[in-house]
Amino acid sequence: NLQDIVALAGRAGIKTMLSTVVANLKDNAPFISMHRAGLSPGEKRSWKAAFDSGAVAWDLGDPRSAVYGFEEALRIDPEFAETHFWLGRLAEALGEPEIARRSYLDALHWDALRFRPDPRINEIIRQVAQGAGGSVALVDAARAMGSDRGSPPPLAGHEILFDHVHFNWAGNFQMAQLLTGACARALFGPDAGPGDGLDPDGCASALGYTPDAQLKMLDTVVKLTLRPPFTNQSTFSEDQARLRREVEATNALLGIPGARSAALDSAERALQQDPDNASLAERLGTMESDAGNLDRALSLLDRAEALRPRSAELSRRKAQVLMRLQRNAGAEDRKS
């Protein structure tokens, strides 16, 4: 499939950018762990005793005893993904990052629910890019951002990812920098750099990314991860506690006097600088709706719709505003 896409673009004279895919290694426990086929009842009992002893030692703060227990469990059943994950955490705690990386990648490999990209997928992307000639440039994000065997430290985790694969602001910014540099080299030659780009704060300002937008993103992630398969993970409670802390910190920022009006002003300035940006118009319209400025919100949502094809989500937002304005007939039209 990827070869066909690249070939089609090449015949049309289009330069193509391919990127490997980043996975959360160190902060994403396996979704489903399964025992190897043929494990006897006696082996299962021995495995459970070893695994439980490792878990108890970890809870008691004795990482070396925990390693012994988990390694014995791994000897009995090398295919149980959760064992590899906890050996990765232990290696990190003992200051052995390369052992940790190998263990986390083994946990990803044996995870029975294939929600995360594995090394084989990324190797296919690299091979297609290499075989396509000069019309294709490769951004090896997996290697650059810590989720590949050949990555430099640090390991990919919650510093750049909300969950198993979705970037947070820091991850998106880093990914944008990698793509910008690669695009510059593809267009202007190998010595070209991206130039003096925006820093994270400047980028947030240009995109209208405010604490209000951050809170909406966090709310989305919380709702997503409160459902299976995330509830199956051994780190579920830990992950939810971390997300709650982030939500509380963002709410505290928005609770500062004048913070919400400042966020509106920031989004307004961003739209003034980029008036044909439908996403900015929609975001500002949603913010104005939340602030109770319904006529202004409707005007902005109309503007967003004029700038891009109609979507279900934008129609839903407009219907909500129309209903609050008691223009129910118009709201019904949006729903249909």
Side-chain angles (χ1 to χ4, degrees), residues 89-132:
R89 285 212 155 174
L90 284 161
E92 270 199 286
L94 293 168
E96 299 169 328
E98 290 312 308
I99 294 175
R101 187 183 302 280
R102 288 197 297 273
S103 294
Y104 286 135
L105 282 163
D106 286 339
L108 187 157
H109 173 77
W110 291 112
D111 192 342
L113 186 61
R114 311 304 292 172
F115 258 31
R116 292 180 289 171
D118 61 15
R120 175 63 180 145
I121 289 173
N122 284 331
E123 196 53 44
I124 290 169
I125 296 168
R126 294 182 185 113
Q127 289 171 2
V128 170
Q130 187 176 14

Side-chain angles (χ1 to χ4, degrees), residues 40-50 76:
S40 70
E43 287 174 322
K44 284 184 181 179
R45 287 192 295 272
S46 298
W47 175 88
K48 186 176 187 310
I76 298 167

Side-chain angles (χ1 to χ4, degrees), residues 230-281:
F230 300 97
T231 51
N232 299 330
Q233 293 179 286
S234 60
T235 54
F236 173 72
S237 297
E238 172 188 322
D239 294 336
Q240 289 301 312
R242 174 185 53 81
L243 287 169
R244 281 196 300 271
R245 289 193 296 272
E246 292 187 42
V247 169
E248 289 167 2
T250 308
N251 270 318
L253 283 176
L254 287 168
I256 297 171
R260 291 189 180 274
S261 60
L264 276 169
D265 291 344
S266 176
E268 183 70 58
R269 286 193 298 272
L271 185 59
Q272 288 173 0
Q273 293 170 1
D274 190 4
D276 294 331
N277 189 318
S279 295
L280 273 175

Side-chain angles (χ1 to χ4, degrees), residues 46-213:
S46 298
W47 175 88
K48 186 176 187 310
F51 188 93
D52 288 349
S53 72
V56 169
W58 169 265
D59 289 340
L60 293 173
D62 183 358
R64 296 202 179 276
S65 295
V67 168
Y68 178 81
F70 284 123
E71 284 186 341
E72 175 61 14
L74 192 67
R75 184 192 66 77
I76 298 167
D77 182 359
E79 297 182 13
F80 198 78
E82 192 76 17
T83 313
H84 292 284
F85 177 75
W86 286 106
L87 282 168
R89 285 212 155 174
L90 284 161
E92 270 199 286
L94 293 168
E96 299 169 328
E98 290 312 308
I99 294 175
R101 187 183 302 280
R102 288 197 297 273
S103 294
Y104 286 135
L105 282 163
D106 286 339
L108 187 157
H109 173 77
W110 291 112
D111 192 342
L113 186 61
R114 311 304 292 172
F115 258 31
R116 292 180 289 171
D118 61 15
R120 175 63 180 145
I121 289 173
N122 284 331
E123 196 53 44
I124 290 169
I125 296 168
R126 294 182 185 113
Q127 289 171 2
V128 170
Q130 187 176 14
S135 68
V136 174
L138 175 70
V139 172
D140 204 336
R143 189 160 292 167
M145 298 178 75
S147 69
D148 185 78
R149 288 194 187 278
S151 294
L155 288 155
H158 281 145
E159 292 79 8
I160 59 170
L161 294 148
F162 279 122
D163 50 24
H164 57 309
V165 292
H166 297 111
F167 286 133
N168 61 17
W169 174 259
N172 272 311
F173 183 78
Q174 189 176 342
M175 186 73 208
Q177 287 184 308
L178 291 171
L179 289 170
T180 301
C183 285
R185 290 188 293 274
L187 291 170
F188 308 116
D191 297 327
D196 296 327
L198 296 170
D199 63 14
D201 289 341
C203 189
S205 178
L207 293 173
Y209 185 77
T210 62
D212 175 85

